[in-house]
Amino acid sequence: MRDIDIGVLHFLRSYFGRWPAFDGFVETLTENGLLKAGPILITLWVLWFVRDAQTQRRRVGIVSLLVAGCTAAAVSVLLTKILPLRLRPVFDPTLNLGMLQVTPDWARVSSLPSDHAALFVAMACGLIFVSRKWGWLALVDVVLFVCVPRAYVGLHYFWDLVAGAAIGVVFAWLCNTEFFRTRVSERLMKLEASNAAVFYGAMFALTTQIADLFHDARQAAGLLIHAVVWAGRSLGIPLD
């Protein structure tokens, strides 16, 4: 597996520096939420509002893929915290990649598995259950414009992305089983009929966070945890 990781990495690196404009474009792809998430989120919102005999079925499928994506991302993030730290290629001094500049904070986050791959592959595979044509196009977009750029700049090895994608595929399948769609997705859809304002407000907030890979939500959660710990200490309750 290590040989494959290094082989793919050096293959991609062989193109680095040939076209500075291309390198800059790839770097932008790894950072820009609109370019990463925009195509798939725009597609699901368009499909949501298409009115025909399949509207309800599509909407249940869209709810399922959103749950699949969020769950897959959460599981992948959890795995990066409990599995041994795997240094990202760009920060490995033994590789001497000379790749693009990336945020130094990434050095403290394990590269295995890729939460980007988990989230967006789960959503793209879930979209296949909604519309095969748009789902497969979304999957191609995720591979070319989300996964490959992250390997190119040295944020992930090949198997990091494969592991994240596998998590995404599993949750896309689980969330589209008849049991899940009946017990979870269809029940969530009832909120759209009973309280559309709350439902669409939540959908808007969720999709904006997906575009940013929950960066703001993670930051807010961190602040909340610190506040609870501080309050506990003030009351003499050890919480850390």
Side-chain angles (χ1 to χ4, degrees), residues 70-84:
C70 294
T71 308
V75 169
S76 66
V77 169
L78 178 62
L79 288 174
T80 63
K81 296 182 182 299
I82 63 177
L83 292 176

Side-chain angles (χ1 to χ4, degrees), residues 30-49:
T30 65
E31 299 174 349
N32 190 290
L34 178 61
L35 295 177
K36 287 187 293 186
I40 193 168
L41 292 178
I42 291 170
T43 300
L44 71 85
W45 274 112
V46 169
L47 291 175
W48 181 275
F49 287 105

Side-chain angles (χ1 to χ4, degrees), residues 83-199:
L83 292 176
L85 175 67
R86 191 186 199 200
L87 197 63
R88 293 173 186 269
V90 71
F91 296 114
D92 189 339
T94 65
L95 295 176
N96 191 29
L97 294 178
M99 302 292 271
L100 303 178
Q101 295 297 314
V102 295
T103 305
D105 291 344
W106 286 113
R108 298 192 297 270
V109 182
S110 181
S111 68
L112 177 70
S114 167
D115 53 356
H116 277 74
L119 170 62
F120 291 114
V121 168
M123 292 181 62
C125 289
L127 194 57
I128 292 174
F129 287 91
V130 177
S131 168
R132 288 195 175 186
K133 177 181 73 173
W134 292 110
W136 283 110
L137 286 174
L139 189 57
V140 171
D141 173 77
V142 168
V143 171
L144 294 180
F145 297 106
V146 176
C147 295
V148 172
R150 301 188 74 75
Y152 184 82
V153 302
L155 285 174
H156 287 291
Y157 291 104
F158 172 77
W159 286 111
D160 301 338
L161 295 163
V162 171
I167 293 171
V169 170
V170 168
F171 279 99
W173 174 76
L174 288 175
C175 292
N176 277 282
T177 59
E178 187 64 27
F179 177 84
F180 187 91
R181 291 168 70 98
T182 303
R183 298 296 182 89
V184 179
S185 300
E186 290 182 3
R187 291 184 180 181
L188 289 174
M189 277 297 301
K190 291 179 180 179
L191 180 60
E192 192 268 344
S194 63
N195 198 329
V198 171
F199 181 85

Side-chain angles (χ1 to χ4, degrees), residues 202-222:
M203 282 275 285
F204 172 78
L206 179 61
T207 51
T208 55
Q209 283 303 294
I210 287 173
D212 198 33
L213 208 79
F214 301 97
H215 176 269
D216 293 339
R218 297 187 203 188
Q219 191 175 56

